[in-house]
Amino acid sequence: MVHDFEALPRGSKRERIHLYDGIELSYVDIVSDALPHRHEALSHIMQVNYCRAGQAAWSMRHGSSVFLNPGDFSVHTLDVCTDSLFQFPTGQYRGLTVSVDLREVAAQPLLAEAGISGELLREKFCLDGTVAFLEGNEQTGSIFSGFYGQPENLRLPYQRLKVLELLLYLAGTEYQKQLAEYPAEQLEVVREIHDQLLRHMERRVTIEELSRQYLINPTTLKAAFKAVYGASLASHIKQHRMEQAARLLRETDMSVAAIAQAVGYESQSKFSAAFKESFQVLPREYRKRLSGG
């Protein structure tokens, strides 16, 4: 009863596990930029999709997109996502999917004792073909982490325990903390800003300057950038600066001071501190180790 990605590309993996009648678990490790998601439009099958690593972008029917970053998850029935396309901006995605036959939820004694039915879950998360996109928190992190890293002889019992804990959590939670949807036009602006920053890493541009240049609200820009790239604008661009600096140290004989300026640092000492934070060594030591000196 698993209804998920129909065929995985080379290098990807999927493991399916039967937990209870009407409840199955799939682990997925996808190496791809995008993947079709085709299946029957089954309103009685609910899926929970959890992002453990990488990123998944779900394009909605009205043209906006929602991004699942590590820790986030979605809840919906299979009449919502039939014949859709998932995109993976980082080129890789790892996570899990729990598929639940809502007609059989009450057959689980623990869930029945708690008054949890398939209809309750449907009305809470999936009414009128809606999708709930939920931001992870400490409690959900604890639940989903229990699906991983267990001793082999305890793996299946933990999986069964955790899936019931997940359904108990969903039945009892208030989910006002919805992930935001972003219109296609807004995402295009964010990508343009991203590309501009990478082309001119020697420049330092503030959020306010970018918002004026591209006519986008600063708060919206920060939120949309983090949704698309999985990190704040500052930390994401800093990572690219450090990767570029490391490449220049490896492939050129530029001085450390020149490299610092090339990646947007006027102060060599601040650059060296930032580089050490990223690579655990100072720039000169990094170059020395590569040269075998």
Side-chain angles (χ1 to χ4, degrees), residues 55-209:
Q55 187 186 56
W58 185 333
S59 297
M60 308 299 288
R61 291 172 182 171
H62 49 272
S64 61
S65 296
V66 179
F67 294 82
L68 291 181
N69 287 301
D72 300 334
F73 60 102
S74 64
V75 185
H76 61 90
T77 50
L78 290 184
D79 53 343
V80 176
C81 59
T82 181
D83 198 21
S84 59
L85 180 71
F86 280 83
Q87 294 178 303
F88 308 105
T90 65
Q92 188 168 17
Y93 170 85
R94 292 204 310 273
L96 61 80
T97 297
V98 174
S99 297
V100 180
D101 189 329
L102 295 174
R103 301 170 300 185
E104 301 193 42
V105 168
Q108 295 302 321
L110 181 62
L111 301 180
E113 183 181 347
I116 299 173
S117 65
E119 197 56 36
L120 182 152
L121 293 171
R122 186 203 311 276
E123 290 184 2
K124 189 166 189 176
F125 294 100
C126 314
L127 200 61
D128 299 324
T130 58
V131 183
F133 291 98
L134 304 171
E135 186 176 19
N137 56 47
E138 185 175 349
Q139 188 173 355
T140 60
S142 174
I143 293 171
F144 286 115
S145 66
F147 285 99
Y148 296 88
Q150 305 299 343
E152 188 60 33
N153 63 318
L154 298 178
R155 191 168 182 246
L156 183 58
Y158 262 105
Q159 290 165 339
R160 287 176 169 165
L161 175 66
K162 286 296 177 179
V163 80
L164 294 180
E165 186 180 357
L166 174 62
L167 294 175
L168 286 168
Y169 171 83
L170 291 175
T173 190
E174 296 294 332
Y175 71 101
Q176 292 92 346
K177 192 71 173 180
Q178 278 274 89
L179 295 173
E181 294 183 28
Y182 295 97
E185 301 79 13
Q186 216 167 66
L187 298 180
E188 184 59 32
V189 168
V190 168
R191 293 188 179 102
E192 286 181 19
I193 290 172
H194 175 265
D195 291 346
Q196 174 189 321
L197 293 172
L198 293 193
R199 285 195 305 270
H200 302 287
M201 281 190 283
E202 75 282 0
R203 300 178 189 170
R204 289 282 178 169
V205 186
T206 67
I207 294 283
E208 290 70 23
E209 289 171 329

Side-chain angles (χ1 to χ4, degrees), residues 263-282:
V263 295
Y265 286 83
E266 293 184 2
S267 165
Q268 183 177 330
S269 61
K270 288 184 179 179
F271 163 70
S272 295
F275 191 90
K276 186 174 182 180
E277 184 181 353
S278 295
F279 292 94
Q280 288 71 57
V281 293
L282 291 169

